[in-house]
Amino acid sequence: MAGSGSRVAKRSLNACTRCRRQKIKCSGSQPCDGCNKRKLTCIFDDRDQKILVTKGYIDELQQKLAKLQQNEHTDTVHVPVPLSPDYVDDRSPDPKDQNDAPGELARSSNDISDVQLQNELEDPASGLTNPLSSGPPAFMSAENGRTFYLGTSSNWSFTRRVLSLTHEQIYQEALPTGALLFDGATYDLGWDGLRVAQDLDTPAVPTFDHAMYLINTVKFRCGQMYHLFDENEFMHNLHDFYSQPKPNATGGLWYIHFLLVLAFGKGFVKQKLQGNKPAGAEFFVNALQLLPDVSVLHREPIESTEILCCVALYLQALDFRSSAHNYIGQAMRMAMAEGMHTQMPIEYLGENMVQRCRKIWWTVYILDREMTSLMGLPQSLNDDHIDTQLPAFPHSIQRTAAIGMHIKLSRIIAEINSTVYAIDGRLNRNFLVRTKTALANIASLADELRGSFPLLLEQAASGVSRISAYLHLLYHQCIILATRPLLFCFLKIRFESSDRCSEALNTSRNVRNLIQMCMESSQQIISILHSLQLEGLLETFLPFDLESIFISTVVLLMGPAIDIRWNYPAWLEKAYTIFEDIIDSGNLIAKFRRSELQLLDELLSCFPQDQPRRIPAPFSFPNNVLNLPGPPDSLASSFPPSAHALGHDILSDQGPTIEDEFSFTNGLTAAQIMAVADSIENIDTEWMSNAMIEHSIW
């Protein structure tokens, strides 16, 4: 792991002949920087690039060759024909040609840059396309008429697509949206968004001791992973504030910053809600009412960027995802305008300022990457433009390492979004090759993550590290994000024909192993969250644990609908107990999410394993699950009983397992992930491409 002097750099996808020969770093541009400076001819040799071809293409070439050879009037014809249907040009660059500088926070030498994207043919049947990002863009309208875009990689959008697909297959009509959770619809901030001076309702600030308790809670809950305020400056201003006979409630940006930290503190410690108003909302709203225009914020850009991060993270916790994404985007641009993404000179700006800016920058970077993925939108910043180091924590080297790992995982998320979820034809049409690329990227971090941040879940004498748990959860989310489009493909095929689905799964063990990997990562997430739950460390206000349990439960619900061998009732029961814990803490979003999952469970159970059947739609669909008079599962109870209802002993029933050459029950190692990724190299995807066309999965 890189130390405090590590730099984040992105290796070029290719090197020119001169740079490769001299074993020096190449910019990858045409001409490259080195050749350009020396006024030399810059030559790129593409003969080392791998080329993956389909069996159908090879058969076509062989047929053409046979016809040409039969033509007695034709001279000798030279047609390059691969040696076998599984031929792959696997010549790879010399390992010594790696362009990463020692200690840089870039992709490691076993990264997928050396398994680079194969040049694909333009044969329409040669590429398997991700159905979540291909075809017309998808939208869904809420009951109030507002239309929402279903982003390609969004967890929220993925569940909506699965729910819609399943409901339409069963009821032959569109999914009613009255009971579904939409952006910004869960909580009521009690504010119309207007900043009118006479309408300001200043909340009473807590006593000094109470404020210190809330601040320390914020430091423990999110200060280890995100930089929200500079402790030295913030605490100095705090003491000045409380030393006054009457604390000044118009103390400029610091007071706004203080209100936001109090809002987080209340959110972390206060569980009982007042209606639909979230904890700490009075402080948050007052902070936004006092927040000046962005043109004024630029006068104090350092603290303003921290403030914008606080606003974005609090809004994300309340499921105001679009607003949160907007605020973190403002923070990103403000930070870049101050040069925080560059190698800021310590000798000119001072050690304290540079270290603070590095902490701010990487917090903005991580939040931007993750929030953009949760929105399912393209990333707005290229890593090639980033040239700053990790912050230094003199008393905690592990914290520097944690930030470095967090950055790597956020970068992988961004790369999955731009490759696996790429728009048709814009980057690469071969979905399985892109999935292999993503898995190789993920595998490159597996051993480092295990070695530097062990979980020790099975050691009774050891507690669970919250930092380690968070990083492992993010790691398994990367695997699910890269592989779950296959689940959607096979669910659609299953609805069309159960026989065709079984045939497709049995035809390609490689694809089945990818889905199994998705299942195993979902179980790993539940296992980690269950351990946190036992120690009282579940994060019930910030949204990240909820996102983890939500996406893993969706995957485990889809599994048995595709193949009964992927039925894991014990893990589902664990998942629902985690939901209960988060709901009991006062999280209304978790209540909605669980209701949607129960609905999906009931809908999928309406499909028997032999032949799908249609049932009449219910007479009514609840408008708001939060206002239902019955128990929390009353939404799901309006549908027929689930075929895989929960009622199993967690400790004794682990569910059936798939006997296959890959098993990940003890966790996913780098070797196991790479074994699955490498198996894709020689896969014949023509059968699946035909299935995609036949079942209109575009």
Side-chain angles (χ1 to χ4, degrees):
M1 179 61 215
S4 61
S6 300
R7 296 175 57 188
V8 174
K10 185 172 182 179
R11 186 188 329 138
S12 63
L13 300 182
N14 195 10
C16 72
T17 303
R18 174 183 170 274
C19 292
R20 186 180 297 277
R21 184 176 61 252
Q22 296 187 7
K23 305 296 188 298
I24 61 177
K25 188 171 183 178
C26 183
S27 66
S29 58
Q30 181 72 42
C32 75
D33 294 345
C35 293
N36 190 41
K37 289 180 181 179
R38 293 166 177 78
K39 308 298 183 182
L40 300 175
T41 302
C42 188
I43 301 174
F44 284 82
D45 189 352
D46 60 359
R47 290 177 297 174
D48 285 339
Q49 291 181 328
K50 297 181 181 180
I51 299 177
L52 177 67
V53 297
T54 64
K55 184 177 182 299
Y57 175 74
I58 295 171
D59 292 341
E60 183 180 349
L61 287 180
Q62 291 173 334
Q63 292 173 4
K64 290 181 179 179
L65 177 60
K67 290 180 180 179
L68 290 172
Q69 290 175 337
Q70 292 174 0
N71 189 344
E72 59 183 0
H73 301 292
T74 303
D75 294 334
T76 303
V77 180
H78 300 281
V79 180
V81 180
L83 299 178
S84 71
D86 293 328
Y87 171 81
V88 177
D89 184 352
D90 61 356
R91 293 174 295 172
S92 58
D94 190 327
K96 297 180 181 179
D97 292 344
Q98 302 298 332
N99 288 323
D100 279 344
E104 287 189 349
L105 180 61
R107 298 180 184 85
S108 55
S109 61
N110 61 345
D111 200 3
I112 51 87
S113 293
D114 290 332
V115 195
Q116 268 318 317
L117 316 172
Q118 283 88 344
N119 293 335
E120 288 132 355
L121 306 171
E122 293 302 323
D123 182 3
S126 66
L128 172 60
T129 306
N130 182 355
L132 302 176
S133 59
S134 55
F139 295 83
M140 178 175 283
S141 296
E143 195 175 40
N144 61 6
R146 181 183 171 187
T147 301
F148 292 86
Y149 168 61
L150 300 182
T152 56
S153 62
S154 164
N155 298 329
W156 178 85
S157 299
F158 180 78
T159 307
R160 287 297 183 278
R161 289 171 182 259
V162 175
L163 270 172
S164 296
L165 174 67
T166 308
H167 188 278
E168 290 173 6
Q169 184 69 23
I170 294 174
Y171 297 123
Q172 302 300 299
E173 62 180 40
L175 172 71
T177 60
L180 300 181
L181 178 65
F182 286 89
D183 180 51
T186 306
Y187 291 105
D188 179 16
L189 291 174
W191 179 46
D192 60 6
L194 299 179
R195 299 176 181 176
V196 183
Q198 58 268 27
D199 291 340
L200 293 183
D201 185 14
T202 305
V205 296
T207 63
F208 176 79
D209 290 342
H210 190 189
M212 286 297 299
Y213 167 67
L214 295 176
I215 292 169
N216 287 328
T217 302
V218 175
K219 288 169 58 180
F220 174 75
R221 286 293 188 177
C222 59
Q224 300 178 78
M225 299 304 299
Y226 304 105
H227 171 87
L228 299 182
F229 58 89
D230 181 75
E231 186 170 354
N232 291 332
E233 180 177 308
F234 188 87
M235 298 308 294
H236 174 76
N237 289 327
L238 179 74
H239 286 283
D240 286 348
F241 178 77
Y242 279 98
S243 65
Q244 302 174 27
K246 287 187 178 182
N248 182 10
T250 59
L253 283 183
W254 178 83
Y255 180 72
I256 296 173
H257 207 167
F258 175 54
L259 291 174
L260 291 170
V261 174
L262 292 179
F264 275 107
K266 287 286 188 179
F268 289 129
V269 303
K270 187 177 180 181
Q271 295 188 353
K272 188 176 180 180
L273 299 180
Q274 299 176 351
N276 287 2
K277 191 173 183 179
E282 65 277 12
F283 296 112
F284 180 75
V285 168
N286 191 217
L288 289 189
Q289 290 173 328
L290 295 172
L291 189 67
D293 183 74
V294 67
S295 60
V296 178
L297 290 177
H298 273 286
R299 299 173 188 174
E300 298 183 52
I302 306 298
E303 186 162 24
S304 293
T305 307
E306 293 171 337
I307 287 173
L308 292 173
C309 283
C310 290
V311 174
L313 188 57
Y314 189 88
L315 287 171
Q316 188 75 25
L318 303 187
D319 204 43
F320 285 78
R321 294 174 296 109
S322 296
S323 300
H325 186 253
N326 187 291
Y327 272 101
I328 202 62
Q330 291 185 46
M332 171 73 77
R333 282 152 182 79
M334 187 170 291
M336 292 181 67
E338 294 305 307
M340 294 186 196
H341 63 298
T342 69
Q343 195 66 273
M344 303 178 76
I346 295 178
E347 63 276 10
Y348 181 73
L349 299 173
E351 179 74 21
N352 291 337
M353 179 178 177
V354 171
Q355 291 297 334
R356 182 178 179 180
C357 288
R358 288 175 182 174
K359 295 173 186 176
I360 294 172
W361 170 257
W362 289 120
T363 293
V364 172
Y365 176 92
I366 291 169
L367 288 175
D368 178 71
R369 287 292 189 264
E370 295 181 11
M371 289 181 182
T372 299
S373 175
L374 291 174
M375 288 291 293
L377 302 176
Q379 299 291 339
S380 59
L381 177 65
N382 193 312
D383 285 339
D384 289 335
H385 300 147
I386 302 174
D387 185 34
T388 187
Q389 298 179 0
L390 293 177
F393 297 93
H395 304 294
S396 179
I397 299 176
Q398 186 75 353
R399 189 171 177 186
T400 300
I403 292 178
M405 179 58 68
H406 202 174
I407 293 168
K408 290 181 179 181
L409 291 169
S410 298
R411 175 167 291 160
I412 287 178
I413 288 175
E415 290 180 346
I416 292 173
N417 288 349
S418 62
T419 55
V420 175
Y421 292 87
I423 297 177
D424 306 4
R426 181 168 297 178
L427 292 177
N428 191 303
R429 296 183 62 255
N430 197 314
F431 166 63
L432 285 180
V433 173
R434 289 293 183 176
T435 302
K436 172 182 178 175
T437 296
L439 291 177
N441 233 344
I442 296 168
S444 69
L445 298 181
D447 293 337
E448 179 185 348
L449 180 62
R450 285 169 173 265
S452 301
F453 303 95
L455 278 176
L456 308 176
L457 298 181
E458 298 179 357
Q459 297 185 16
S462 301
V464 180
S465 164
R466 182 64 246 198
I467 294 180
S468 296
Y470 181 83
L471 294 174
H472 280 264
L473 289 171
L474 194 60
Y475 175 84
H476 286 290
Q477 287 185 58
C478 290
I479 295 177
I480 293 175
L481 188 64
T483 55
R484 71 181 178 189
L486 285 172
L487 278 173
F488 192 84
C489 290
F490 278 94
L491 185 65
K492 179 73 181 290
I493 296 175
R494 168 67 181 86
F495 287 160
E496 298 279 338
S497 168
S498 59
D499 292 338
R500 176 59 177 160
C501 182
S502 299
E503 178 187 350
L505 286 173
N506 294 329
T507 300
S508 176
R509 174 168 291 188
N510 296 321
V511 173
R512 192 170 72 246
N513 286 329
L514 286 174
I515 299 178
Q516 176 68 16
M517 180 181 289
C518 188
M519 296 288 171
E520 297 288 353
S521 278
S522 298
Q523 294 175 38
Q524 290 293 325
I525 285 177
I526 294 172
S527 179
I528 295 170
L529 291 174
H530 181 64
S531 297
L532 292 173
Q533 181 186 24
L534 293 178
E535 296 199 28
L537 290 177
L538 265 183
E539 182 48 65
T540 59
F541 180 71
L542 293 181
F544 306 112
D545 282 1
L546 179 57
E547 285 291 336
S548 295
I549 192 62
F550 182 58
I551 66 171
S552 58
T553 307
V554 171
V555 167
L556 293 182
L557 286 174
M558 295 175 66
I562 297 171
D563 192 315
I564 191 59
R565 293 174 294 177
W566 285 320
N567 186 26
Y568 304 105
W571 289 103
L572 283 170
E573 187 168 351
K574 280 187 179 182
Y576 282 121
T577 62
I578 293 170
F579 268 104
E580 289 297 329
D581 203 335
I582 300 177
I583 292 170
D584 290 343
S585 72
N587 192 312
L588 297 182
I589 303 168
K591 192 172 184 179
F592 261 116
R593 297 242 191 263
R594 184 194 58 181
S595 177
E596 293 177 3
L597 292 172
Q598 290 172 328
L599 171 60
L600 177 61
D601 189 9
E602 301 303 337
L603 290 174
L604 289 174
S605 71
C606 293
F607 271 88
Q609 290 301 314
D610 50 357
Q611 183 66 33
R613 62 185 176 88
R614 295 188 179 94
I615 60 176
F619 290 105
S620 62
F621 201 93
N623 291 325
N624 192 334
V625 68
L626 297 179
N627 297 327
L628 292 176
D633 59 350
S634 54
L635 171 60
S637 65
S638 63
F639 294 85
S642 172
H644 44 279
L646 306 177
H648 299 267
D649 184 354
I650 296 177
L651 298 178
S652 62
D653 185 0
Q654 297 302 315
T657 59
I658 295 182
E659 298 296 333
D660 211 338
E661 70 234 64
F662 297 107
S663 178
F664 315 107
T665 53
N666 294 321
L668 300 168
T669 66
Q672 289 171 324
I673 298 175
M674 282 307 302
V676 177
D678 287 340
S679 71
I680 304 174
E681 185 74 46
N682 298 320
I683 192 172
D684 182 2
T685 62
E686 186 174 4
W687 64 271
M688 195 158 187
S689 298
N690 293 334
M692 297 282 287
I693 298 174
E694 178 183 347
H695 296 278
S696 302
I697 309 176
W698 297 96

